[in-house]
Amino acid sequence: MTKGIDLELDRTLIPFRYFNRAEIHKGFYNSGDITKALCSIHYEDFFDDPDDDEFPYYSAHQLLCGSCHVFALALQNKFGCIPYVIRGNKGKSFHVFCQIYKDGRWLYIDARGITSSFNEFMDTARDFVNGEYSIRQVEQYDIEEWKNDDKYYSEAVAFAEAMIDKYKDYYCP
């Protein structure tokens, strides 16, 4: 990635100059392997093991893939970020994240951290969203549905908030 380079393009094709700005990356985006980093953070690092074979929140990776909605709502609780749902127009799967506008650019926040690169953000979202998609703000009915569908919802929220507290610099816009 180049930083601060002014690229002159063929003006017959594009009648303006493009300035390449360095992307913002915070958190686990800066680790060599995001999946490995999130998988190394365990629920039992913060709380007693629930000793339940069905308990799904064994690692923070679950807060990225599977329970991203919990993490986005925890970000909203901690920092006031607005959560959004990105959903494929032809499927039922989705990804939930927070988005803010700061210093002239959009920032995308989920369990990986913060990035200003929509393409980088979509690296995970593409696992759930194929083809055309729509993005909308999370509504109260979404939250109620998620709470009702997860018998471990309160444990998941506690895990997400504990992780955000421990890695505050990764997520604080």
Side-chain angles (χ1 to χ4, degrees):
M1 181 174 3
T2 57
K3 183 176 180 179
I5 295 178
D6 179 6
L7 300 176
E8 184 75 26
L9 300 177
D10 182 347
R11 292 189 179 278
T12 62
L13 299 175
I14 303 172
F16 58 86
R17 297 173 81 188
Y18 174 76
F19 294 90
N20 185 6
R21 297 189 327 178
E23 299 292 345
I24 293 172
H25 301 95
K26 284 177 75 172
F28 296 105
Y29 280 107
N30 293 322
S31 70
D33 184 338
I34 294 170
T35 300
K36 183 177 179 181
L38 290 173
C39 286
S40 71
I41 301 168
H42 300 100
Y43 181 87
E44 61 193 28
D45 295 340
F46 303 96
F47 307 104
D48 291 336
D49 185 356
D51 195 27
D52 180 344
D53 291 338
E54 294 179 18
F55 188 72
Y57 299 103
Y58 49 88
S59 82
H61 190 263
Q62 183 67 25
L63 298 172
L64 174 64
C65 297
S67 296
C68 53
H69 58 286
V70 171
F71 198 83
L73 294 174
L75 286 168
Q76 181 181 38
N77 292 341
K78 292 290 185 178
F79 303 122
C81 301
I82 298 173
Y84 291 86
V85 175
I86 182 170
R87 180 185 303 268
N89 293 344
K90 293 185 179 181
K92 293 185 178 187
S93 59
F94 59 91
H95 183 63
V96 182
F97 63 101
C98 288
Q99 175 179 278
I100 63 167
Y101 191 74
K102 184 176 181 183
D103 298 330
R105 63 174 71 184
W106 286 102
L107 302 176
Y108 309 95
I109 313 168
D110 60 18
R112 294 171 289 180
I114 298 174
T115 183
S116 61
S117 169
F118 187 74
N119 287 334
E120 187 172 47
F121 160 75
M122 286 297 291
D123 284 347
T124 291
R126 275 189 201 96
D127 292 343
F128 304 100
V129 177
N130 295 312
E132 292 183 5
Y133 57 84
S134 58
I135 299 174
R136 66 170 176 80
Q137 193 170 333
V138 168
E139 300 288 342
Q140 187 61 38
Y141 69 85
D142 295 312
I143 297 168
E144 293 305 319
E145 182 179 317
W146 296 332
K147 285 180 181 179
N148 292 334
D149 288 348
D150 186 352
K151 72 178 189 177
Y152 301 104
Y153 186 81
S154 60
E155 291 87 351
V157 170
F159 183 27
E161 289 181 350
M163 186 176 151
I164 291 167
D165 286 341
K166 181 172 182 175
Y167 299 99
K168 184 177 182 175
D169 291 343
Y170 287 20
Y171 305 109
C172 184

